C-alpha cells in the first residue's frame, strides 16, 4: 500500500492533522525533496524519512526525475507492506510525480491512497483576494510554451523555479500582453518571515531577486487595451457584432460568391507586401485576408452551413492525418 500525502504550501500550520498522523505512524517515508519549509518541523516531531533530492542531481530533466521517483516508490511498495510518499503542497495539484506514480500503480495493481492537503493555490486565492469561480487559469511555468492564454481570466503560473523559467514565462506572456502589463510576483506565500507579494511590470519578471521553488506569478485579467494584444477571439467577436443587428446595408447584401472577389484582392495585396518585404504591410494585409475568411464563416453560419470552428477542425484533422508524427495531445507544440 502506498500512501500519498501533501505537506501543504509552506508553514507547518498548513499540514493537516491527518497528514501528521500518517507521518508519525509510517515506518517507510519518502519526501520528494527536502527543499520545503516544513521539513524541519517534521523532523522535530520525531519522524524519520528519506529524501529523493539525489535523483535531481543524476537526471537530465524534470520529466526524468519524476519518472525515477515514481518507479522508486512503486518498487519500494513490493518490499514493504506500507510506503508513504510525501510531496509539497497538494499531491493532486501540479505534482507530476504523483500522476506518474498513480498510473504505475494502476498498471501494476498496487494499492494506493491519495490524501487531501492544502494547496499553494489556497494561499494565492487568500492573499490576493481571488474567487476562483470568476475564472482562473493555472499554468506550469516549466512548460509554459505548451500553454494557451485567455487574458479574460486570471492566470496563476506555478513552478517558476529560477530566472531561466521566469525569462521563458516573460517571453511567452509578451505574445499576449504588453511590457507594462501589471502582474504579481509571489514567493513563499503563507510563510510570514519570507512571504513576498509584489506588483511589478511584466518586463521586470526575470529581474526579480531570489526566485526559487516557492515562486509563482499571477496575471490579472485584462480589459484595458493598454495591457494586451487583441487575439482571434476578439476578432471573431467584432465580426459577429458587425454581422448582427449592427450590420451595414452593404454587408447584408453580400453572399459567399460576392466575398470571394474581395478575398482574392486581399491575397494579391498580401502577395505584393511580401514581395516588397514590408513587415507592417504584411501584418495589415494578412489581417485583411483573415477578416474576409472569418466574415465568410460568419455568413455561412447564418444559414447553418458551417462556422469558423468547423474550418479549424477540418484543417487540424487534415494535418494530423497527413503528418502522423504530430502529437494529438499537443504536448510537443509550441504555440506562437
Amino acid at each position: 500500500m502506498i500512501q500519498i500525502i501533501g505537506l501543504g504550501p509552506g508553514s507547518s500550520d498548513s499540514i493537516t492533522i491527518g497528514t501528521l498522523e500518517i507521518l508519525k505512524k509510517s515506518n517507510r517515508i519518502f519526501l520528494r525533496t527536502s527543499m520545503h519549509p516544513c521539513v524541519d518541523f517534521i523532523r522535530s516531531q520525531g519522524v524519520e524519512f528519506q529524501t529523493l533530492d539525489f535523483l535531481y542531481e543524476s537526471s537530465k530533466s524534470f520529466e526524468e526525475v519524476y519518472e525515477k521517483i515514481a518507479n522508486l516508490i512503486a518498487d519500494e511498495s513490493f518490499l514493504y507492506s506500507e510506503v508513504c510518499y510525501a510531496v509539497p503542497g497538494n499531491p493532486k495539484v501540479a505534482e507530476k510525480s504523483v500522476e506518474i506514480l498513480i498510473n504505475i500503480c494502476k498498471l501494476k495493481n498496487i494499492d494506493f491512497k491519495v490524501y487531501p492537503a492544502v494547496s499553494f493555490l489556497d494561499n494565492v486565492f487568500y492573499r490576493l483576494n481571488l474567487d476562483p469561480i470568476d475564472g482562473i487559469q493555472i499554468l506550469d511555468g516549466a512548460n509554459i510554451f505548451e500553454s494557451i492564454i485567455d487574458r479574460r481570466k486570471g492566470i496563476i503560473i506555478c513552478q517558476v523555479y529560477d530566472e531561466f523559467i521566469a525569462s521563458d514565462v516573460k517571453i511567452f506572456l509578451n505574445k499576449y500582453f504588453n511590457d507594462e502589463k501589471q502582474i504579481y510576483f509571489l514567493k513563499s506565500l503563507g510563510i510570514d518571515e519570507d512571504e513576498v507579494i509584489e506588483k511589478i511590470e511584466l518586463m521586470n519578471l526575470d529581474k526579480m531577486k531570489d526566485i526559487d521553488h516557492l515562486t509563482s506569478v499571477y496575471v490579472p485579467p485584462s480589459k484595458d487595451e493598454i495591457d494586451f494584444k487583441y487575439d482571434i477571439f476578439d476578432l471573431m467577436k467584432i465580426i459577429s457584432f458587425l454581422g448582427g443587428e449592427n450590420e451595414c446595408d452593404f454587408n447584408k447584401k453580400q453572399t459567399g460568391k460576392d466575398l470571394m472577389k474581395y478575398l482574392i484582392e486581399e491575397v494579391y495585396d498580401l502577395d505584393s507586401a511580401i514581395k516588397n518585404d514590408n513587415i507592417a504591410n504584411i501584418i495589415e494585409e494578412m489581417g485583411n485576408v483573415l477578416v474576409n475568411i472569418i466574415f465568410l464563416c460568419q455568413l455561412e453560419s447564418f444559414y447553418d452551413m458551417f462556422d469558423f470552428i468547423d474550418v479549424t477542425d477540418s484543417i487540424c484533422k487534415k494535418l494530423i492525418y497527413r503528418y502522423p508524427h504530430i502529437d494529438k495531445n499537443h504536448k510537443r507544440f509550441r504555440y506562437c
Side-chain angles (χ1 to χ4, degrees), residues 144-148 172 175-176 329-331 333-336:
I144 194 65
F145 290 107
E146 297 174 6
S147 307
I148 301 176
F172 181 74
K175 296 179 180 293
Y176 299 85
N329 294 320
H330 314 307
K331 291 180 179 178
F333 290 0
R334 287 173 67 92
Y335 294 95
C336 299

Side-chain angles (χ1 to χ4, degrees), residues 18 23 25 50 92 124 134 191 196 212 232 279 286:
L23 287 170
K25 292 179 181 179
Q50 290 181 247
K92 295 292 285 183
V124 175
D134 295 328
I191 308 172
V196 176
D212 63 16
I232 186 66
I279 299 301
M286 288 186 74

Side-chain angles (χ1 to χ4, degrees), residues 4-138:
I4 305 173
I5 62 174
L7 303 178
S11 70
S12 58
D13 295 338
S14 61
I15 296 182
T16 66
I17 295 174
T19 294
L20 194 55
E21 289 181 352
I22 292 171
L23 287 170
K24 290 181 176 180
K25 292 179 181 179
S26 300
N27 294 321
R28 193 67 172 167
I29 300 172
F30 291 92
L31 270 58
R32 177 167 67 77
T33 177
S34 61
M35 296 177 64
H36 191 278
C38 285
V39 171
D40 288 338
F41 170 75
I42 294 171
R43 190 178 286 113
S44 72
Q45 299 299 303
V47 176
E48 295 184 359
F49 54 82
Q50 290 181 247
T51 67
L52 302 176
D53 293 301
F54 68 94
L55 292 176
Y56 287 84
E57 300 171 2
S58 63
S59 302
K60 297 179 180 179
S61 65
F62 285 117
E63 289 76 12
E64 184 179 339
V65 172
Y66 301 145
E67 289 280 355
K68 287 181 178 180
I69 288 175
N71 280 289
L72 184 151
I73 299 299
D75 290 343
E76 287 289 325
S77 70
F78 291 111
L79 302 175
Y80 299 89
S81 58
E82 284 192 2
V83 175
C84 177
Y85 176 48
V87 299
N90 184 326
K92 295 292 285 183
V93 177
E95 189 55 57
K96 189 66 176 179
S97 66
V98 171
E99 179 185 335
I100 297 172
L101 177 57
I102 289 175
N103 289 334
I104 293 175
C105 288
K106 291 178 178 179
L107 183 65
K108 296 184 177 182
N109 295 316
I110 301 172
D111 290 333
F112 71 93
K113 184 174 181 179
V114 182
Y115 293 84
V118 178
S119 166
F120 80 96
L121 294 175
D122 297 298
N123 275 337
V124 175
F125 297 149
Y126 176 71
R127 291 294 193 271
L128 297 182
N129 194 29
L130 304 176
D131 187 343
I133 201 170
D134 295 328
I136 289 288
Q137 278 188 290
I138 302 170

